[in-house]
Amino acid sequence: AVQNGDMVHDTSQEKTAKRMSNLQKALVGYCNLPVIAQAEDDEIVLDSDVTNPSATHHTQEKEPIRMVPRGLFIHGNVGTGKTHLMDLFYKITPIPTQRKRRVHFHSFMQDVHQRIHHLKKQDLATLGRNYAIDTCQERNPIHRVATQLASEVSLLCFDEFQVTDICDALMLSQLFSVLFSRGTVVVATSNRPPSTLYEGGLNRSYFLPFIDLLGRHCIVHDMNANTDYRVVTTDGIESFFYVSSSDSSMEEYRRVLDQAFSFDRNTDDDNNSNNHNRLQQEEEELVEIKVAFNRTIHVRKVLHRHHSSGGGDIARFHFNDLCNTELGSSDYRAIGEQFQTIIIDDIPRLTLTDHDQARRFITLVDELYEANCALMCCAVTSPETLFIGRELPSGDDAGSGNKEGIETVVGEAFGIDVAQSNGLTVGGLASVQELSFAFRRAASRLKEMTSRHWWEKQGVMLLSS
């Protein structure tokens, strides 16, 4: 591909690919089920030692357990090829499909929380409320969920590993210690090295053991690259799909889409003959989508397209319907799975001040990117200038109380999420700080997803003539 000119040589990607190639070789014929069996035997022996210290154990000699390969934690700047390399690694790694899983870290944690919720409901229904106060390991829902996951997969690949929520931060050490002890190999990509994950977060001292755990079981690799290939591959490519308020085509953009989604279908035959009006293949309808925790979301503006016209169904949203309401990653994932083309109107500038809507929009972009959706946006400005933010205090200083406007020492000592003079809580500080990094990733992905190149790659009919 490099010789043909389809790709360019990149030293940073080459070094990362070699790391991955070495891991692939170590994973040939690997399965963590024998490791799980050994771990369960060890737990049985440990339990019997506690209940009957004088017991004598007669164990037959066992076959040696194969060494568990160390995983990879790849970090670097946005658009440098981390996700692309990991997808290639996942695709060709010689582990059966049913024994490996590739997932966005948001989605993984949503799955973990849903499993914990389901287990707790089961326990409450069958064993009553007193069961909840039993703290032994085999009844711990986090331990049980981690045991389930380890029995399902030998290889876990995470895209965009980031920690912004204190609930996630406090459970990760326990969750991953079980996964690692049962032989699950982890490969992850992130914009940040492990040492800066959950930086500035509430009670970060409880999160630090996870960083040490990650370092023992994964090789940490810095991409050490600055080229954003999403920008490089879309620069100079004509695109109708991202229209800013200053663009001369704004009026045409609104006219075409308003006509396509209009309830009045009695339009001119001449108008129906051009490419824009190929959208009008069927009537608009209200669609109900089932999401996590037995909830549903309703999409008002939906058009179904015939397979022959190219691409799947289209949904159109106002920004407020997606990001100024109580929606999360599981909701956005459901939308991405339901519709191949998403149109979002009236996206404002996004700042750290309105961090909730900024965070939701970034999560939305991540989930739609994972689902390979074609995206059209109407925003006040271009992707590069859509996000306005500044770096927040980080590292030890962020939690030491000597930064102006950040009072963390007293609250952290008592595990209290203290309100700050800048309007944030300590617990929210890590999440908002993460936005400074996430802004760059989202802008890069927006530029790619709204490009003509991306739409053609996904096989979606172009709207422009």
Side-chain angles (χ1 to χ4, degrees):
V2 174
Q3 292 176 345
N4 295 336
D6 297 330
M7 301 179 71
V8 297
H9 180 264
D10 187 296
T11 303
S12 299
Q13 290 190 11
E14 183 181 14
K15 291 179 179 178
T16 306
K18 287 180 179 178
R19 287 276 195 190
M20 291 181 159
S21 179
N22 291 335
L23 179 56
Q24 280 180 334
K25 292 174 184 176
L27 289 171
V28 173
Y30 178 74
C31 180
N32 68 329
L33 293 179
V35 183
I36 292 174
Q38 178 65 60
E40 291 175 347
D41 286 346
D42 292 343
E43 288 174 1
I44 292 172
V45 171
L46 182 62
D47 287 343
S48 64
D49 285 341
V50 172
T51 57
N52 187 7
S54 62
T56 302
H57 303 292
H58 300 283
T59 58
Q60 61 182 13
E61 188 176 343
K62 299 177 182 177
E63 294 183 7
I65 298 298
R66 179 176 173 178
M67 293 289 290
V68 179
R70 285 181 74 190
L72 272 175
F73 188 98
I74 303 165
H75 64 92
N77 290 328
V78 300
T80 53
K82 300 183 300 297
T83 299
H84 177 65
L85 286 171
M86 190 183 69
D87 286 344
L88 288 175
F89 168 83
Y90 174 82
K91 183 178 180 180
I92 63 179
T93 294
I95 288 181
T97 303
Q98 65 270 21
R99 295 295 306 167
K100 61 183 178 180
R101 183 178 177 191
R102 189 266 191 219
V103 62
H104 193 280
F105 191 67
H106 268 310
S107 303
F108 174 74
M109 293 310 299
Q110 284 281 338
D111 180 40
V112 169
H113 286 295
Q114 287 183 44
R115 290 177 186 234
I116 290 174
H117 176 72
H118 180 68
L119 281 177
K120 286 183 174 180
K121 281 185 65 176
Q122 277 188 331
D123 293 342
L124 182 63
T126 58
L127 301 166
R129 294 189 178 276
N130 288 338
Y131 186 84
I133 64 174
D134 192 326
T135 58
C136 62
Q137 181 171 277
E138 64 269 17
R139 296 184 180 182
N140 182 317
I142 299 174
H143 184 276
R144 291 158 67 192
V145 166
T147 301
Q148 287 177 2
L149 290 167
S151 68
E152 294 169 5
V153 292
S154 299
L155 174 66
L156 264 176
C157 293
F158 297 118
D159 190 31
E160 302 302 344
F161 198 111
Q162 58 181 343
V163 185
T164 59
D165 182 82
I166 186 172
C167 294
D168 292 347
L170 295 180
M171 76 162 62
L172 283 180
S173 183
Q174 184 178 358
L175 182 73
F176 277 82
S177 64
V178 176
L179 289 172
F180 288 138
S181 69
R182 291 172 177 257
T184 299
V185 177
V186 170
V187 175
T189 69
S190 178
N191 294 132
R192 310 186 69 176
S195 60
T196 63
L197 290 173
Y198 195 54
E199 198 165 40
L202 179 67
N203 285 334
R204 189 172 187 259
S205 58
Y206 293 105
F207 176 74
L208 296 179
F210 171 70
I211 296 177
D212 294 335
L213 184 72
L214 201 59
R216 290 197 303 272
H217 293 275
C218 294
I219 296 171
V220 178
H221 177 76
D222 184 356
M223 283 283 288
N224 194 26
N226 295 310
T227 303
D228 186 342
Y229 286 103
R230 295 191 192 105
V231 174
V232 170
T233 55
T234 56
D235 269 353
I237 296 179
E238 182 183 357
S239 172
F240 180 74
F241 308 125
Y242 193 97
V243 185
S244 70
S245 58
S246 60
D247 198 313
S248 60
S249 63
M250 174 64 75
E251 185 176 342
E252 175 69 5
Y253 168 84
R254 291 195 180 282
R255 185 190 68 78
V256 169
L257 293 182
D258 286 344
Q259 185 177 13
F261 283 90
S262 172
F263 285 103
D264 180 11
R265 297 300 178 179
N266 297 319
T267 55
D268 244 24
D269 287 339
D270 291 338
N271 289 336
N272 283 333
S273 65
N274 70 35
N275 287 336
H276 297 310
N277 290 316
R278 279 187 288 168
L279 283 168
Q280 301 181 59
Q281 302 244 355
E282 292 185 18
E283 291 296 321
E284 174 184 318
E285 67 176 50
L286 177 71
V287 171
E288 184 180 89
I289 305 174
K290 294 187 181 300
V291 293
F293 300 106
N294 295 319
R295 296 181 301 110
T296 57
I297 53 179
H298 296 89
V299 184
R300 290 184 296 107
K301 293 190 174 183
V302 175
L303 284 175
H304 298 288
R305 297 203 290 193
H306 298 308
H307 295 298
S308 60
S309 67
D313 295 345
I314 304 173
R316 185 182 182 189
F317 300 88
H318 189 277
F319 174 84
N320 289 336
D321 294 334
L322 291 172
C323 303
N324 271 343
T325 187
E326 298 299 322
L327 296 180
S329 59
S330 59
D331 306 304
Y332 301 141
R333 183 164 61 256
I335 290 172
E337 291 171 352
Q338 182 80 18
F339 306 105
Q340 187 172 8
T341 306
I342 307 291
I343 302 172
I344 307 173
D345 291 319
D346 298 326
I347 303 172
R349 285 188 185 271
L350 299 166
T351 69
L352 294 182
T353 303
D354 299 317
H355 53 88
D356 282 338
Q357 69 174 16
R359 187 184 303 108
R360 289 193 186 103
F361 185 67
I362 289 168
T363 302
L364 170 66
V365 171
D366 284 343
E367 292 294 347
L368 297 184
Y369 189 84
E370 286 291 303
N372 292 320
C373 291
L375 187 62
M376 176 181 279
C377 298
C378 168
V380 297
T381 186
S382 64
E384 297 88 348
T385 56
L386 188 63
F387 302 98
I388 304 172
R390 63 180 178 85
E391 300 293 335
L392 296 174
S394 61
D396 294 335
D397 290 339
S400 63
N402 60 2
K403 291 285 184 179
E404 183 179 357
I406 305 175
E407 310 86 20
T408 61
V409 172
V410 175
E412 178 123 2
F414 292 98
I416 301 171
D417 206 6
V418 180
Q420 305 295 295
S421 57
N422 60 9
L424 301 175
T425 62
V426 180
L429 185 62
S431 182
V432 175
Q433 183 171 330
E434 191 69 31
L435 289 180
S436 297
F437 295 89
F439 278 174
R440 296 194 292 271
R441 181 181 74 248
S444 175
R445 288 184 166 182
L446 269 177
K447 193 168 179 65
E448 182 179 20
M449 293 168 70
T450 56
S451 70
R452 181 184 298 273
H453 172 73
W454 176 270
W455 282 52
E456 291 175 342
K457 180 181 175 182
Q458 307 309 328
V460 177
M461 179 192 71
L462 301 179
L463 297 181
S464 56
S465 56

